Amino acid sequence: MPTRILPAVGDADAVRSITTLLGQLPDAEPVAPVTDSTQLVDTLARLAAESVDELPEVVVVHERIGPVPALELIREVALRFPAVGVVLVTSDASPGLFQAAMDHGARGLVALPLGYEELASRVQAVAQWSVGVRRHLGSGGDVFTGAGGTVVTVSGAKGGVGATLTAVQLALAAQASGRSTALVDLDLQTGDIASYLDVQFRRSVVDLAAINDISPRVLADAVFRHDTGLALLLAPGEGERGEEVTDRAARQIVSALRSRYEVVVIDCGAQLGGAGAAAVEMADRALLVTTPDVVAVRGAKRAVRMWDRLQIRKAEETTVVVNRHTRATEIQPPLIRRITGTAIAATTVPAGFKELQGAVDSGRLHELDGKSTVKQALWGLAGELGLVRAAEADRRGGRLRGDRGSVSFRRRKDGGG
């Protein structure tokens, strides 16, 4: 059986030399190379969604891959696709880098300039390891092999547009449908999830920032299990400590959460920092919440353009959610779509200050009345985004477990879908 090898190389000259050598290896089947970290992860996720057998046995990562640094990319691949063996190609073959590569999950290291014998030996060894892992999986081994849980980031076009409310309700809807869900507060200086859910907890996301290997036990110690079943990873009580959560730390934290929960909802706030940028870049769905007014829509346009300039996310890969929508307002979703160049969520969220005030002031947002139009809209948005189990809603007559009357998923009486 041929060994499928996926090169991840950003440098054009390196692509030619690596693919030429790989093509000479016995029983090797090189596939089309990918040129950046995002393309690599997306390609592996697409293949893993079909079957673990569709994944390449070996991924060869060049040291100058970007925008995610090579070692961080290797860690993400190792966490999300543990049946894939990764080989790092680097000009630094020092013992220190070799140890760092192994710690991040690489299965081998090849020094530049490339030599046929060394490359063949490493690829063959890693391929054999990958085949052994897959044989174990086929015999019923309890090893995670999928693309990981769904990560959704929620950012605000400006402060006060309802990003935190949106994140909380999306997470509650996913959890109520029976999906294991984590809610993360990456609004590191001004995060309010703890206040909205009446939580006092001494640990925060900062406690994970300095840990190089976030094991399931370490992660479990850092999260707070809410009465609703949500796993909460909160912002620090001291806002200045938010600087300790670097983009590198955020990548590790998001990868660890993705490997443990079916849905991960991240509140990134309205200010873009390194941690928030890393989360938005890694997310399966990036939401940008705005209200239908000139100032907020201008803020949404600025944010989208900034994300594009910084190569965090393209406009067409961003979904804008319109909060406090009314039919009477001059600015409607189609206009916002034209201004921002983004997709627009089909579900709009109505203005509902009175129905929200009591739950927000008491810190009991999870007890918001199921008849609330805001809650119904946001739980409907969760369904639109695919965060809930539709079958669970159907079995319960269109209501999600614990929603206290929410009708967002009510089946049509005529038997339609």
Side-chain angles (χ1 to χ4, degrees), residues 147-324:
T150 300
V151 175
V152 177
T153 56
V154 184
S155 305
K158 69 179 189 66
V161 296
T164 300
L165 171 69
T166 300
V168 170
Q169 290 297 329
L170 290 179
L172 288 170
Q175 180 68 36
S177 76
R179 305 189 73 183
S180 61
T181 305
L183 175 59
V184 185
D185 199 340
L186 273 188
D187 187 0
L188 296 170
Q189 292 187 340
T190 58
D192 282 324
I193 286 179
S195 299
Y196 277 26
L197 295 177
D198 192 25
V199 170
Q200 293 183 350
F201 191 55
R202 62 186 181 87
R203 294 193 181 276
S204 74
V205 66
V206 172
D207 292 294
L208 297 177
I211 299 175
N212 291 324
D213 186 11
I214 303 175
S215 66
R217 182 171 181 176
V218 169
L219 185 63
D221 287 341
V223 301
F224 175 83
R225 183 66 63 179
H226 192 258
D227 292 343
T228 57
L230 284 177
L232 303 179
L233 187 56
L234 303 171
E238 304 82 17
E240 67 274 12
R241 295 199 64 194
E243 296 181 358
E244 299 175 31
V245 186
T246 63
D247 57 342
R248 176 181 179 276
R251 291 184 190 282
Q252 292 185 188
I253 292 167
V254 173
S255 294
L257 288 165
R258 192 201 297 265
S259 69
R260 298 293 295 174
Y261 297 95
E262 295 176 83
V263 176
V264 181
V265 180
I266 305 174
D267 179 6
C268 294
Q271 299 297 320
L272 184 69
V280 171
E281 183 183 353
M282 295 178 69
D284 298 289
R285 300 294 296 268
L287 306 183
L288 184 61
V289 181
T290 185
T291 47
D293 58 83
V294 172
V295 175
V297 173
R298 283 178 178 169
K301 183 178 180 180
R302 282 196 303 270
V304 169
R305 288 185 171 180
M306 179 170 61
W307 290 1
D308 188 48
R309 288 195 305 271
L310 297 176
Q311 298 184 346
I312 296 170
R313 203 168 194 92
K314 296 178 181 178
E316 58 269 25
E317 297 173 347
T318 302
T319 302
V320 168
V321 177
V322 182
N323 188 25
R324 300 174 198 151

